[in-house]
Amino acid sequence: MQYAYPLLAIFIWAGNTVINKLAVGAIFPAEIGFYRWLLAALLFTPFMLKPVIVHWPLIRPNLGRIFILGVLGMAVYQSLAYFAATLTSATNMGIILSLMPLMSLAMAIVSLGQRLTAGALAGAVLSFAGVLVVVSSGSLGALLEHGVNLGDAMMLIATLAYAIYSTLLKKWQLRLPPLVLLYLQVLVAVVVLFPLFLASPKIGPTLQNIPLVLYACLLASMLAPLAWMQAVVRLGPSRTTLFFNLLPLITALIAALVLHEQLALYHLVGGVLTLGGVILSERWTTVLSRKISAA
């Protein structure tokens, strides 16, 4: 039963990548990005006002940090994913997103003093090769000639933003209940995305796009984070993070079923390389500095 929590979160997030693609043409990226957080804020507020007031002495000195976390994790990451969906496939997005644990590990080594391991180094090379295969559509010559697809580039930046977000979350260790911190970041996203929403073209709510907004809000923005928090409590951070490795596979399967995206050989090769690199980085924990000093 304890594994149901991380699996539920991963299935919802994989489905949300497909929702990003379904939103193309049905609603503008700036619209769905704003509506999902606005609706989440409205639904959270009746339950979260009292906890926010209770924890205000801890919240007030950390408002700057909370703002940065909200911008990176909610506004930049999610918004770029919607814009990326207009230019690349859900399968590509899922594979690129699988780089996130490795990016977070690299940043932890640089900024948190975590030691460099043989797995982290080898995994970085392997995963980078996998992403190159995907973004080049299996042709490195074409990549050198034409460059990276703009949608893939946006997804890489979005993934990097969330990796920075995760690193700062660990570094700052804000002593706030997870739900309170999530709610405050949702409020930041509403404030930050409002000007973009005003300046962007709008389709408005329709019978076609309302279900997409509801999925993004109720499931991806509220239920999935709560399930992931429960998984961390029950399994611990390290074991929970391993489930993130299933994201590219589940995303590709849902995209094939729902969007009828064709899985090419380069998707398989790139996905295996990327996933293998992440698993290698987590499992091969030999510390390089110790090995060098021992020699």
Side-chain angles (χ1 to χ4, degrees), residues 184-201:
L184 293 172
Q185 292 172 76
V186 168
L187 295 182
V188 170
V190 172
V191 172
V192 170
L193 293 176
F194 184 59
L196 179 62
F197 169 75
L198 286 180
S200 299

Side-chain angles (χ1 to χ4, degrees), residues 138-169:
S139 174
L140 293 179
L143 179 64
L144 292 173
E145 184 178 350
H146 302 293
V148 178
N149 173 289
L150 182 58
D152 291 336
M154 285 182 176
M155 202 60 208
L156 280 167
I157 295 171
T159 304
L160 179 62
Y162 203 84
I164 295 172
Y165 164 83
S166 301
T167 304
L168 291 177
L169 206 57

Side-chain angles (χ1 to χ4, degrees), residues 186-219:
V186 168
L187 295 182
V188 170
V190 172
V191 172
V192 170
L193 293 176
F194 184 59
L196 179 62
F197 169 75
L198 286 180
S200 299
K202 299 169 189 65
I203 292 177
T206 66
L207 291 177
Q208 184 182 2
N209 63 38
I210 286 175
L212 305 178
V213 175
L214 290 176
Y215 185 103
C217 171
L218 300 178
L219 298 183

Side-chain angles (χ1 to χ4, degrees), residues 87-291:
L87 299 166
T88 190
S89 69
T91 302
N92 276 28
M93 291 171 69
I95 292 173
I96 292 170
L97 193 56
S98 68
L99 276 178
M100 194 185 298
L102 192 62
M103 287 182 175
S104 299
L105 177 60
M107 290 178 188
I109 292 169
V110 173
S111 63
L112 303 181
Q114 188 168 325
R115 294 193 176 190
L116 177 64
T117 65
L121 187 60
V125 174
L126 198 60
S127 291
F128 181 69
V131 169
L132 277 182
V133 170
V134 172
V135 301
S136 68
S137 300
S139 174
L140 293 179
L143 179 64
L144 292 173
E145 184 178 350
H146 302 293
V148 178
N149 173 289
L150 182 58
D152 291 336
M154 285 182 176
M155 202 60 208
L156 280 167
I157 295 171
T159 304
L160 179 62
Y162 203 84
I164 295 172
Y165 164 83
S166 301
T167 304
L168 291 177
L169 206 57
K170 292 176 186 176
K171 185 174 183 178
W172 289 339
Q173 294 186 349
L174 304 181
R175 292 176 296 170
L176 291 169
L179 202 52
V180 171
L181 185 56
L182 174 64
Y183 172 65
L184 293 172
Q185 292 172 76
V186 168
L187 295 182
V188 170
V190 172
V191 172
V192 170
L193 293 176
F194 184 59
L196 179 62
F197 169 75
L198 286 180
S200 299
K202 299 169 189 65
I203 292 177
T206 66
L207 291 177
Q208 184 182 2
N209 63 38
I210 286 175
L212 305 178
V213 175
L214 290 176
Y215 185 103
C217 171
L218 300 178
L219 298 183
S221 302
M222 299 178 74
L223 181 58
L226 291 174
W228 195 256
M229 290 174 194
Q230 280 296 314
V232 170
V233 170
R234 294 166 182 264
L235 299 173
S238 298
R239 291 175 68 193
T240 301
T241 303
L242 291 175
F243 284 85
F244 203 87
N245 298 332
L246 296 172
L247 187 64
L249 173 62
I250 296 173
T251 300
L253 292 176
I254 296 175
L257 290 172
V258 177
L259 303 174
H260 306 294
E261 288 188 1
Q262 296 297 318
L263 295 178
L265 180 60
Y266 68 82
H267 284 128
L268 177 62
V269 174
V272 169
L273 287 173
T274 305
L275 182 59
V278 174
I279 294 174
L280 191 65
S281 68
E282 292 169 347
R283 294 298 188 183
W284 189 8
T285 57
T286 303
V287 178
L288 289 178
S289 57
R290 285 180 184 170
K291 195 169 182 179

Side-chain angles (χ1 to χ4, degrees), residues 65-81:
R65 291 177 172 180
I66 292 169
F67 181 80
I68 291 171
L69 291 173
V71 168
L72 288 171
M74 308 297 166
V76 174
Y77 165 63
Q78 300 289 354
S79 295
L80 276 177

